[in-house]
Amino acid sequence: MRELSLVFRHPDFYILNKPAGAPMHANDHEAGIVTQLAEQLNETLFPVHRLDTPTSGALLVARSSASAAALSELFARRAIRKTYLAIAAGKPNKKQGLIKGDMANARRGNWRLLHTQENPAVTRFFSYSLKPSYRYYVLHPETGKTHQLRVALKSIGAPICGDTRYGGEAADYLHLHAWQLQFDYAGESFSIKAPLPSYGLFSELPNPLQTDPTDE
């Protein structure tokens, strides 16, 4: 059982700093992350959204079925602004902009970005120099498709470090972190960040980070 760390406590929800490698659903080795947290806190919890197993960062977990419904509705209406950080090697085709397109299944569980726009994945991004041959990316997914951010960065020639599935440089961890959630709930505004990982290239990020102008 992992020792899990909460970023924020509220009567209706928690925000967990999900460790990289922790699964959303039970596998042969361990229980799902929400089940683990429920056992650690000795209370019933309800998942509201998901993060890929190798992705770390802010995971919103409801403390009742009613708050789960309300928070899930915010995600459905795209009323929760999500900010991720990623690190990639190489030079991208563009340093900031919008990546938009339908996604389709490829071989062996991979996904690919299409030119069609029927039900597109939408990601806004900004990138900044980290050190020679590496950049870090501030990502705002406006939709929530499977592997959306990983495929988006691959599409601009900058697959994420550790994401060998999509052609990224080999590393012990996927360098993708769910950094911030911003939303209004029950008459209050929340802007909550998950602490950055200390491993790999994340340890070389500047403090303070450069971010997109809307965060200033």
Side-chain angles (χ1 to χ4, degrees):
M1 186 72 67
R2 299 171 186 265
E3 183 65 28
L4 303 174
S5 174
L6 293 177
V7 176
F8 188 81
R9 295 172 180 260
H10 184 276
D12 289 349
F13 62 84
Y14 295 123
I15 294 182
L16 167 70
N17 190 15
K18 175 188 169 297
M24 291 298 300
H25 304 290
N27 58 33
D28 292 340
H29 307 290
E30 62 180 306
I33 192 67
V34 177
T35 299
Q36 291 187 49
L37 183 62
E39 291 182 8
Q40 180 175 310
L41 299 176
N42 194 30
E43 65 176 287
T44 301
L45 298 174
F46 303 82
V48 176
H49 67 128
R50 67 180 302 278
L51 296 175
D52 286 348
T53 296
T55 303
S56 60
L59 183 70
L60 187 57
V61 180
R63 301 181 67 182
S64 70
S65 57
S67 59
L71 292 165
S72 296
E73 174 65 17
L74 292 180
F75 275 104
R77 292 194 287 107
R78 301 181 186 177
I80 294 183
R81 188 170 192 257
K82 299 168 287 184
T83 304
Y84 288 69
L85 297 175
I87 299 174
K91 185 177 180 180
N93 298 335
K94 53 183 179 177
K95 293 181 179 179
Q96 66 180 57
L98 192 70
I99 303 169
K100 184 176 180 181
D102 294 325
M103 293 181 65
N105 279 305
R107 292 185 297 176
R108 294 188 289 275
N110 288 5
W111 292 80
R112 59 192 178 94
L113 195 69
L114 305 178
H115 294 295
T116 56
Q117 304 285 330
E118 293 180 12
N119 182 24
V122 181
T123 304
R124 190 170 300 278
F125 77 99
F126 301 80
S127 75
Y128 305 91
S129 177
L130 177 60
K131 64 179 186 177
S133 301
Y134 293 89
R135 299 184 69 81
Y136 71 91
Y137 296 76
V138 179
L139 306 167
H140 298 294
E142 298 178 12
T143 51
K145 311 288 188 182
T146 301
H147 291 187
Q148 175 175 324
L149 299 180
R150 298 163 68 179
V151 172
L153 287 191
K154 174 183 170 61
S155 77
I156 60 168
I160 299 170
C161 289
D163 195 5
T164 53
R165 174 188 284 265
Y166 290 106
E169 180 180 280
D172 290 338
Y173 295 93
L174 177 68
H175 284 63
L176 178 63
H177 182 69
W179 184 43
Q180 184 175 37
L181 294 173
Q182 295 168 285
F183 57 96
D184 294 330
Y185 175 80
E188 292 185 75
S189 294
F190 298 91
S191 181
I192 302 164
K193 292 177 180 176
L196 296 176
S198 58
Y199 50 74
L201 293 166
F202 280 121
S203 65
E204 301 186 42
L205 286 171
N207 185 17
L209 288 168
Q210 289 180 273
T211 56
D212 64 275
T214 61
D215 285 341
E216 299 300 325

